Amino acid sequence: MTSRVPVLLSSSSVFPEPTAAAFQLAAALGYDGVEVMVWTDAVSQDAGALRGLAAHYGVPVLSVHAPCLLVTQRVWSPDPWERLRKAAELAESLEAPTVVVHPPFTWQRDYARGFADGMAEIGRRHGGLRFAVENMYPVRMAGRQFVPYLPGWDPTDTGYDAYTLDLSHCAASHTDALAMADRMADRLAHVHLGDGTGEGRDEHLVPGRGNQPCAELLSSLAGRGFTGSVAVEVATRGAKSRAVREADLRAALEFARQHLAAPSPVDA
């Protein structure tokens, strides 16, 4: 049975398997849809191929993650605005309501300088989409910390029309995810569900296997008036077999459904 809040499988959760495997696994396990991470896999960039997969497996694409990673800086174009425009066109073609966006990297100074205004403008041009800016985290190396994003890793410091809340990133930044959700308020449009231990790195554990308030956050969404979707974004690249990967993704889906259906303490 489909939950009130759709639970999506991020195609990044099946890596190193290709994008097509996300549709196969989402259908087999009973996810409500797929979040497509646009990356170097040509299928992830191709609206026709993605429509074909969605139709074949009966699983819609309900969010598109724009190519914002270090490894995707040349996907479609070296121009970050062009990449974002193409992600918007892809989402519209697939009738996916959400585009996930990262803040600019520190070396993208021109992009960063106009980012807030540019996000507002692209939102006006593509009025049917929500461009949900994601919380990131500082990077810790050799006992030192630096922030690779401008104007920072926390998008609520600047303020945008919509946000993606990533719980694994909250762990890596030592941030209270519930407090961040409070700051995002009614602009919280999308959730990346993964867990972490707070050891200062981005772990994307299966929810319930770290120490983040994943259950509490999910059960609070109804009381927050949340109308978006929850995408399972967990790392399974260390899985020893397809069966292990499938078991992890099934456990993540069951966790999400269980806690989305549970009332928060305030509502109980």
Side-chain angles (χ1 to χ4, degrees):
M1 184 176 71
T2 300
S3 61
R4 190 180 69 84
V5 173
V7 182
L8 318 183
L9 178 61
S10 169
S11 61
S12 66
S13 296
V14 307
F15 183 82
E17 293 194 62
T19 302
F23 288 86
Q24 179 190 12
L25 282 164
L29 296 173
Y31 278 81
D32 299 313
V34 167
E35 173 170 311
V36 171
M37 170 73 79
V38 179
W39 65 299
T40 55
D41 179 355
V43 169
S44 73
Q45 306 169 29
D46 187 321
L50 293 169
R51 276 197 301 272
L53 286 166
H56 178 74
Y57 288 106
V59 181
V61 177
L62 294 179
S63 62
V64 169
H65 195 310
C68 305
L69 305 178
L70 280 173
V71 296
T72 59
Q73 294 297 293
R74 296 284 172 177
V75 168
W76 283 332
S77 169
D79 176 2
W81 286 118
E82 181 63 17
R83 292 198 298 274
L84 196 50
R85 282 190 289 271
K86 285 187 174 292
E89 290 168 0
L90 180 64
E92 287 175 335
S93 174
L94 298 167
E95 299 183 354
T98 304
V99 177
V100 178
V101 186
H102 288 185
F105 287 113
T106 51
W107 61 84
Q108 296 175 309
R109 295 192 178 278
D110 289 343
Y111 180 46
R113 194 173 295 117
F115 187 66
D117 290 342
M119 289 300 299
E121 175 59 26
I122 201 168
R124 285 190 291 270
R125 279 191 207 159
H126 301 273
L129 299 177
R130 297 191 81 180
F131 294 86
V133 183
E134 185 172 357
N135 62 296
M136 301 305 291
Y137 53 92
V139 174
R140 297 175 177 87
M141 295 177 63
R144 300 182 66 184
Q145 176 176 298
F146 69 97
V147 176
Y149 303 99
L150 281 175
W153 58 265
D154 182 350
T156 67
D157 287 343
T158 299
Y160 300 99
D161 291 338
Y163 299 106
T164 295
L165 175 61
D166 187 303
L167 286 112
S168 178
H169 294 176
C170 286
S173 62
H174 299 165
T175 299
D176 182 332
L178 295 170
M180 178 164 280
D182 289 344
R183 293 198 300 276
M184 291 177 172
D186 61 356
R187 297 184 181 189
L188 175 59
H190 193 59
V191 173
H192 277 167
L193 180 60
D195 214 332
T197 63
E199 292 183 354
R201 59 192 178 89
D202 189 19
E203 296 168 288
H204 287 284
L205 304 177
V206 171
R209 298 182 188 175
N211 58 20
Q212 294 304 292
C214 298
E216 295 87 343
L217 187 280
L218 292 174
S219 65
S220 78
L221 290 177
R224 295 176 187 277
F226 182 73
T227 59
S229 53
V230 171
V232 167
E233 193 179 71
V234 296
T236 66
R237 56 185 172 272
K240 302 298 185 186
S241 67
R242 163 59 86 88
V244 173
R245 173 171 293 116
E246 191 168 322
D248 281 348
L249 298 178
R250 180 181 292 108
L253 175 61
E254 289 173 353
F255 183 101
R257 290 252 172 84
Q258 175 189 346
H259 294 290
L260 282 168
S264 70
V266 174
D267 300 327

